[in-house]
């Protein structure tokens, strides 16, 4: 383990890091920070909760000068993640006189324009709203020297790639760029070569996505029995829990049921107003709510250290989403628990995910003596067609993250007609799936 002092960071930043109580650098930080500081592009893969934010944020803060324009640009797939990254940067940079603005859909332009007018050195953005600012001239990228794509595999996925291309075309060629994610499929690594110059790759846990420190189990039950079991599992939890559902509708329903049962639950899904989204996240982060019921909008990047349990109320329909969802627990070396509810019709999808899990997985049907009364043919169900048969590639089925493609939202699409014309594959035309 390396001390932060050995990584080439300024005293101002080290002070910020110490105040956060960080003692030693985590492996991805130790690996990446010195390389980014030499000005080389980086691909950084390390498991969920392993400190990737600090790896790119500290390197960026170190290189950026006060009052010299927007030099750092970080892009993330969801508003909540963009806000979280901003908060972290502010903590690290508390003594460094670097100003940060968050640019995301759903919030009025006014607040963002005010912040930008006062002057900032770093912008953390979701792509859609960033493009709006670029088009109206309220953000210019000519001084940008450092670019990060967090959750990079999502950012280079079909839902976002055109936006990213548009944005990168407006940034100077001479820049340090880095990509970070817990999941870095080979297709993304290949694609990254188009955007990065001779990047140094750090693939720290590429062979094992399974989630260190997460006790994983699953339960095959009838869909209508899920709620009863949900109550049983969340009741004894002393910390916080996240319940992931497959649709916005189910998310609202499950949250409603939990309220009826007097649980302190909040919900987040893409059809809620930004105000309500922020209210939910605020309550959950501050510990005022015990349970967050969410669509995949909360599956990537969200860091709430007290989360002890993740329940997949529905099997995710995008297999990498499983690893991101369960990675909302066991943050920063802590322990956590993940339980997946598998309805009879999802057994095939679950089997596909299960094959990728390389740690012991508890079969709760066996453990709790719960019989599965699936008619035989279903038990032997082969992978469903939408997973492209035997192919393990998300890309080969024509759209990685098809179901968890996170358009920033339908309400921040203003002024992007050019993109809207690109049709349905770029879900501008429709509502967000999250
Ligand atoms: P990732 O992006 O890899 O999923 P995050 O950057 O969100 O992970 O970090 C997960 C948690 O670990 C955060 O709460 C962060 O504050 C904490 N953390 C990061 N680096 C360190 C460190 N060196 N020591 C202690 N805690 C850390
Ligand atoms: Mg992260």
């Amino acid at each position: 383990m390396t001390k932060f002092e050995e990584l080439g960071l300024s005293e101002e930043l080290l002070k910020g890091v110490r105040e956060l109580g960080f003692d030693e650098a985590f492996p991805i930080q130790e690996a990446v920070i010195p390389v980014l500081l030499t000005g080389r592009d980086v691909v950084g893969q390390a498991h969920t909760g392993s400190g990737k934010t600090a790896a790119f944020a500290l390197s960026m803060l170190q290189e950026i000068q006060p009052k010299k324009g927007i030099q750092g640009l970080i892009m993330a797939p969801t508003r909540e993640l963009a806000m979280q990254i901003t908060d972290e940067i502010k903590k690290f940079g508390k003594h460094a006189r670097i100003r940060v603005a968050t640019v995301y859909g759903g919030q009025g332009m006014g607040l963002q324009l005010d912040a930008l007018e006062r002057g900032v050195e770093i912008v953390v953005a979701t792509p859609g709203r960033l493009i709006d600012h670029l088009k109206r001239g309220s953000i210019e990228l000519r001084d940008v020297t450092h670019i990060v794509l967090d959750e990079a595999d999502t950012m280079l996925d079909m839902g976002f790639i055109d936006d990213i291309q548009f944005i990168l075309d407006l940034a100077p060629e001479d820049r340090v760029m880095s990509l970070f994610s817990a999941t870095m499929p080979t297709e993304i690594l290949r694609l990254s070569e188009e955007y990065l110059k001779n990047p140094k790759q750090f693939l720290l846990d590429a062979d094992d996505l399974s989630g260190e420190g997460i006790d994983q189990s699953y339960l095959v039950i009838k869909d209508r029995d899920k709620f009863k079991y949900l109550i049983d599992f969340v009741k004894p939890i002393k910390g916080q829990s996240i319940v992931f559902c497959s649709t916005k509708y189910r998310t609202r329903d499950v949250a409603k049921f939990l309220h009826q049962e007097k649980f302190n639950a909040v919900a987040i899904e893409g059809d809620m107003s930004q105000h309500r989204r922020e209210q939910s996240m605020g309550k959950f982060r501050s510990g005022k709510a015990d349970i967050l019921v969410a669509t995949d909008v909360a599956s990537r990047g969200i860091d709430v250290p007290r989360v002890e349990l993740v329940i997949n109320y529905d099997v995710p329909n995008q297999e990498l989403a499983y690893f991101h969802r369960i990675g909302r627990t066991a943050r920063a070396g802590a322990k956590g628990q993940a339980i997946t509810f598998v309805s009879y019709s999802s057994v095939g999808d679950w089997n596909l995910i299960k094959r990728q899990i390389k740690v012991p997985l508890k079969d709760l049907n066996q453990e709790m003596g719960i019989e599965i009364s699936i008619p035989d043919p279903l038990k032997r169900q082969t992978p469903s067609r939408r997973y492209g048969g035997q192919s393990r590639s998300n890309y080969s089925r024509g759209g990685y993250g098809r179901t968890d493609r996170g358009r920033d939202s339908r309400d921040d699409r203003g002024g992007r007609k050019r993109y809207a014309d690109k049709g349905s594959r770029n879900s501008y035309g429709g509502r967000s799936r999250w």
Side-chain angles (χ1 to χ4, degrees):
M1 282 277 199
T2 308
K3 295 269 176 210
F4 278 98
E5 282 77 3
E6 296 163 45
L7 296 178
L9 299 169
S10 70
E11 194 42 49
E12 285 95 357
L13 291 179
L14 291 173
K15 206 168 158 200
V17 167
R18 277 195 291 268
E19 284 172 7
L20 281 173
F22 291 9
D23 192 16
E24 280 170 333
F26 285 166
I28 189 72
Q29 297 160 357
E30 182 183 335
V32 156
I33 293 174
V35 176
L36 279 174
L37 293 184
T38 66
R40 183 156 172 199
D41 287 357
V42 158
V43 175
Q45 183 279 330
H47 66 81
T48 49
S50 63
K52 294 184 286 294
T53 318
F56 61 73
L58 287 168
S59 322
M60 184 180 275
L61 282 161
Q62 174 68 32
E63 296 294 295
I64 278 172
Q65 321 265 324
K67 299 192 174 163
K68 296 238 167 97
I70 297 170
Q71 299 148 72
L73 173 62
I74 298 165
M75 286 181 272
T78 65
R79 303 160 184 186
E80 286 70 23
L81 181 54
M83 286 184 253
Q84 177 183 298
I85 294 169
T86 303
D87 284 346
E88 247 192 290
I89 293 182
K90 283 184 177 159
K91 289 181 202 157
F92 296 136
K94 194 173 152 201
H95 305 285
R97 301 198 326 278
I98 302 294
R99 295 160 303 171
V100 196
T102 328
V103 153
Y104 57 92
Q107 189 191 46
M109 272 284 185
L111 274 176
Q112 294 173 11
L113 291 173
D114 288 350
L116 292 166
E117 246 164 53
R118 283 194 296 274
V120 295
E121 286 79 34
I122 295 178
V123 167
V124 186
T126 53
R129 180 57 70 89
L130 176 60
I131 289 179
D132 294 343
H133 279 283
L134 290 169
K135 288 192 169 169
R136 62 189 287 165
S138 40
I139 291 180
E140 285 185 9
L141 302 180
R142 58 163 186 262
D143 298 321
V144 165
T145 51
H146 291 76
I147 299 180
V148 175
L149 299 186
D150 195 16
E151 305 297 340
D153 51 336
T154 292
M155 303 307 277
L156 297 178
D157 161 33
M158 279 171 68
F160 278 123
I161 187 88
D162 290 343
D163 290 0
I164 299 296
Q165 183 70 61
F166 178 87
I167 294 161
L168 293 179
D169 283 347
L170 294 173
E173 277 284 311
D174 189 17
R175 63 191 182 219
V176 182
M177 187 160 159
S178 54
L179 308 183
F180 288 87
S181 182
T183 49
M184 211 54 97
T186 35
E187 290 88 339
I188 286 294
L189 286 176
R190 213 176 311 125
L191 191 59
S192 74
E193 285 165 22
E194 284 181 32
Y195 298 94
L196 307 188
K197 286 192 248 12
N198 183 29
K200 190 155 171 66
Q201 293 185 353
F202 296 95
L203 308 176
L204 300 195
D205 320 278
D207 299 331
D208 181 14
L209 297 170
S210 301
E212 226 177 76
I214 309 172
D215 171 26
Q216 297 173 56
S217 54
Y218 67 99
L219 179 64
V220 183
I221 39 176
K222 288 192 185 110
D223 198 66
R224 64 167 182 269
D225 291 337
K226 283 181 176 177
F227 193 67
K228 181 175 79 151
Y229 285 104
L230 175 66
I231 304 279
D232 290 348
F233 287 117
V234 290
K235 225 174 215 160
I237 297 295
K238 291 200 176 60
Q240 292 175 290
S241 311
I242 301 185
V243 180
F244 282 107
C245 300
S246 58
T247 64
K248 298 165 186 171
Y249 178 78
R250 273 169 86 82
T251 301
R252 287 194 290 271
D253 252 14
V254 170
K256 200 168 75 195
F257 285 141
L258 285 169
H259 286 149
Q260 280 164 4
E261 297 291 322
K262 307 283 179 247
F263 284 94
N264 201 347
V266 289
I268 185 162
E269 41 88 0
D271 273 357
M272 283 164 60
S273 71
Q274 185 54 24
H275 175 69
R276 289 196 46 222
R277 277 168 74 154
E278 284 176 35
Q279 226 174 16
S280 289
M281 279 313 292
K283 278 191 183 162
F284 193 62
R285 281 190 196 282
S286 66
K288 286 192 190 115
D290 303 319
I291 305 173
L292 177 70
V293 189
T295 57
D296 277 315
V297 74
S299 67
R300 280 186 178 250
I302 298 302
D303 180 59
V304 180
R306 271 173 51 85
V307 173
E308 276 175 29
L309 169 67
V310 170
I311 293 203
N312 290 313
Y313 197 81
D314 301 307
V315 171
N317 27 27
Q318 204 279 355
E319 58 209 64
L320 291 187
Y322 174 79
F323 299 100
H324 289 277
R325 284 179 176 192
I326 68 166
R328 294 319 98 210
T329 182
R331 313 287 298 166
K335 294 263 177 281
Q337 196 190 347
I339 303 171
T340 300
F341 290 172
V342 184
S343 60
Y344 293 172
S345 61
S346 306
V347 169
D349 289 351
W350 172 242
N351 283 340
L352 281 168
I353 294 171
K354 215 164 88 178
R355 274 196 275 158
Q356 301 228 82
I357 303 172
K358 300 197 179 93
V359 295
L361 185 63
K362 239 187 279 165
D363 174 347
L364 292 178
N365 293 83
Q366 218 169 42
E367 202 152 288
M368 298 165 65
I370 299 164
E371 225 173 278
I372 307 175
S373 49
I374 306 182
D376 254 0
L378 262 178
K379 253 189 203 165
R380 291 195 301 266
Q381 191 179 330
T382 45
S384 65
R385 295 196 113 239
R386 69 198 161 95
Y387 280 85
Q390 292 305 308
S391 163
R392 307 303 304 148
S393 161
N394 291 306
Y395 297 83
S396 63
R397 59 175 202 263
Y400 160 69
R402 183 183 275 257
T403 50
D404 96 347
R405 164 206 310 158
R407 280 305 326 150
D408 186 4
S409 130
R410 67 213 146 88
D411 52 2
D412 70 340
R413 277 175 283 142
R416 281 186 282 130
K417 280 263 174 340
R418 189 185 134 200
Y419 287 82
D421 292 336
K422 290 218 166 165
S424 61
R425 99 186 166 90
N426 194 333
S427 48
Y428 280 107
R431 302 187 342 181
S432 96
R433 301 291 299 258
W434 288 345

